[in-house]
């Protein structure tokens, strides 16, 4: 029996990253988050997704990369 590992791939600053698919709850289209005063610079704000409020983390800022438009 052969095991297959599924991953979610994404790119930040020209570098490829992967997360195990089993660790991803769901994927959503990006919409601008609501800014929250006093949060760390890498926290872009909050989104409500499926009746839950979740933080949006800007990995470019977190990794010290220049800002770019979300794609």
């Amino acid at each position: 029996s052969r095991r297959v590992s599924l991953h979610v791939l994404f790119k930040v600053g020209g570098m490829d990253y992967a997360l195990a698919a089993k660790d991803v709850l769901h994927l959503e289209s990006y919409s601008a988050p609501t800014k929250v005063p006093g949060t760390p610079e890498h926290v872009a704000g909050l989104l409500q997704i499926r009746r839950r409020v979740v933080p949006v983390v800007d990995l470019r800022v977190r990794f010290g990369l220049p800002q770019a438009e979300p794609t």
Side-chain angles (χ1 to χ4, degrees):
S1 161
R2 185 175 156 194
R3 290 186 78 160
V4 176
S5 296
L6 299 177
H7 293 83
V8 174
L9 305 175
F10 59 99
K11 189 175 288 220
V12 177
M15 297 291 295
D16 294 325
Y17 295 89
L19 291 174
K22 68 178 183 62
D23 294 330
V24 177
L25 298 176
H26 51 83
L27 299 172
E28 297 286 336
S29 298
Y30 183 79
S31 60
T34 301
K35 302 250 185 230
V36 179
T39 57
E41 185 180 351
H42 64 273
V43 177
L46 300 173
L47 284 178
Q48 184 173 344
I49 300 174
R50 299 179 184 169
R51 293 189 223 144
R52 294 181 70 188
V53 176
V54 295
V56 177
V57 176
D58 186 335
L59 293 177
R60 293 184 68 83
V61 174
R62 185 76 172 110
F63 294 161
L65 300 168
Q67 289 187 335
E69 285 296 313
T71 59

